[in-house]
Every structure is written in structure tokens, then in C-alpha cells.
Amino acid sequence: MRDSRSMPVPDGIAGMRLDAGVSRILGLSRTVVANLADAGDVTVDGVAVGKSHKLAAGSWLDVLLPEPDEPLRVEPTPVEDLTVIYHDSDIIVVDKPVGVAAHPSLGWSGPTVVGALDAAGFRISTSGAAERQGIVSRLDVGTSGLMVVAASEHGYTMLKRAFRDREVEKGYHALVQGHLDPPTGTIDAAIGRHRGADWKFAVTANGKPSITHYDTLEMFAAASLLDIHLETGRTHQIRVHFSALHHPCCGDLTYGADPVLAARLGLQRQWLHARSLGFTHPADGRWVEFTSPYPADLAHALDVLRET
């Protein structure tokens, strides 16, 4: 039997479209809410309404929730290019190649960090959802570089707290189109779901606070190599922030990159690399830092720019 939720529409949701408002209240995607509305599974004051219905404060909302998904399984799958650069009884630091997800998710059938570590015989914390055990932060499938995974329950608790309290130093290098003005600065712009696509994000007035610090390392005719430090860790944060400034990451066609330049640089994905990672070790409190070299495709793009 499907679960349901019934509640008055909160004041803070008043005036929003049904798909956006219910998504915010219940944590469902806007696409799922829209499908529920199309099926007549969402009513306002007892009347079935469509996804674009404007919600009024105090009106009574009834939502018949979708069937729960089957639990996602972690498949032990070796990943040849994934390197464990450090591990002990509390943490595992990996250098993740492009094309590998952090953990299993709906719609993703490729390799994962969790599956690769399982196949390699590493013990991972059992904290977190079954398919995300040990995962305390993530990288996009199309982003390479450093991730830390919790090996123990203590490690999981301490690392989750450190990420939550913004005590982890996350350094990225990005190659963006054009030249930043000023060459060093901070982007403070809230990020939320893109109106036109559930899988994209955008700078929005009602999004979550998002802060990105950057410094230009090297300038080329058509692009700039940036050193980036995140104060917050929103999904696609770097990609969205620099796209909003009209300086998208080279190769990032999803967020407006020039496909001609991407082809010239030989890029099949965004030029974005998690270059460094520093945090307090959960076991003894010492500060630890790790760095990752550029993978071959990103290094090649820089070589092309330096030769022209």
C-alpha cells in the first residue's frame, strides 16, 4: 500500500507552483511530483490539480506518495584507474577517475567508488544508506580527483561533522573559458534546481547559499586556469557559478561551454579536477593533506593551449 502525506500549505510555499512547492516540502524531485499530479495523486482542498497550480497558504494538500524504490545494491566492480593513495583503519583517500560515480544511484549503471573499494577488499563504514555507506562527500561522475571515504564508524561521524562545519579544505583546479575580471575573487550566489531540467542547477534567488573563492593561476588566449576553494559544497557548484559569470568550464557543454573549443582541446567532459584535500584526521586530530596530479585528458588540454 502506498503511503500518503496530508498537511496545510505553509506560508513559505504560498505562490509557488505545485511541483516546486511539493518538491521542497517532501524532498521529491519536481519530475516525480509532476508525474503524481498528472496521475491525479495530488489534491488541494480535495480537488486534483496539475503541476503548475499555484499553492495558497493554508489550503489542504494531500499527496499519494510513489511506490518506494527497491534498495540499490553495491556491485563489487574493479576500477583499473581508481587509485587508493592513502588508507588506515579510519579513512580511505582515493583518486577518482572520470566516469566513476561515488555510489550507486537511480539511472546509473556504471562503476562506483564504493563498488571499486568493495572489489579491492577494503572495509568501509556501515554508516549511511546501504548504497552510500562510508561516503561523506561526493564528486560528479564527470569530475576527477580526490575523495575521502570513511573506513570506520568513528571516521564517518567525525568526517561528516567536519564537512558539515566547513572544516575540510577542498581545492579544485578548473580551466574556464575567457579571463576573469577580477582575476582573484569570491562568488557568493545561491544555487537551486534549474527550472527547465531536474538534473541541472542554476543561480536562483531562493536557492541554497553557495560561496566559491578563486584565483587565476595561468592565462591563455582563450581560457584561464583557476585555483578554486569551496566554502560550501553544493551539487555542480563550480560549474554553475562560473557558467553564471559566462566563463563555463572548458568542455562543460551542459553549462554552456563552446563545443568548438572543447573539440580543439580534446575534451569529452568538463575540465575540473579535485586537486587537493585537507582535513583533521578522525583518529588523532592531526592535519592531513593530499594532492592529485592532472589526469591525461586534462593535461593534454593544457598542452594544447600552451603550444598555441
Side-chain angles (χ1 to χ4, degrees), residues 72-75 101-106 108 110 112-115 130-132:
L72 295 171
R73 295 180 57 189
V74 175
E75 296 292 342
H103 57 75
S105 60
L106 291 174
W108 176 253
T112 66
V113 171
V114 173
E131 73 278 6
R132 292 178 298 196

Side-chain angles (χ1 to χ4, degrees), residues 71-85:
L72 295 171
R73 295 180 57 189
V74 175
E75 296 292 342
T77 306
V79 177
E80 183 178 348
D81 296 334
L82 185 143
T83 304
V84 174
I85 64 173

Side-chain angles (χ1 to χ4, degrees), residues 96 100-104 111-115 131 135 137-139 141 147:
K96 185 189 84 66
V100 178
H103 57 75
T112 66
V113 171
V114 173
E131 73 278 6
I135 296 294
S137 69
R138 294 175 288 181
L139 290 179
V141 171
M147 278 182 57

Side-chain angles (χ1 to χ4, degrees), residues 50-93:
K51 64 181 181 181
S52 59
H53 174 84
K54 293 296 178 65
L55 295 169
S59 56
W60 196 260
L61 180 68
D62 286 286
V63 182
L64 186 60
L65 298 177
E67 293 283 357
D69 296 316
E70 289 294 320
L72 295 171
R73 295 180 57 189
V74 175
E75 296 292 342
T77 306
V79 177
E80 183 178 348
D81 296 334
L82 185 143
T83 304
V84 174
I85 64 173
Y86 176 85
H87 68 92
D88 58 30
S89 59
D90 289 298
I91 64 173
I92 306 166
V93 180

Side-chain angles (χ1 to χ4, degrees), residues 14 21 24-25 65 85 88 101 105 114 123 138 141 145 161 163 171 177 187 189 192 201 217 228 258 278 285 289 291:
R24 178 170 295 189
I25 295 169
L65 298 177
I85 64 173
D88 58 30
S105 60
V114 173
R123 177 187 178 275
R138 294 175 288 181
V141 171
R161 183 180 303 163
F163 276 100
Q177 293 180 193
I187 306 168
F201 293 81
L217 296 175
I228 297 170
D258 178 4
E289 292 184 355
T291 58

Side-chain angles (χ1 to χ4, degrees), residues 281-298:
H281 195 288
D284 54 20
R286 76 183 189 279
W287 183 257
V288 293
E289 292 184 355
F290 306 92
T291 58
S292 166
Y294 300 145
D297 61 335
L298 304 189

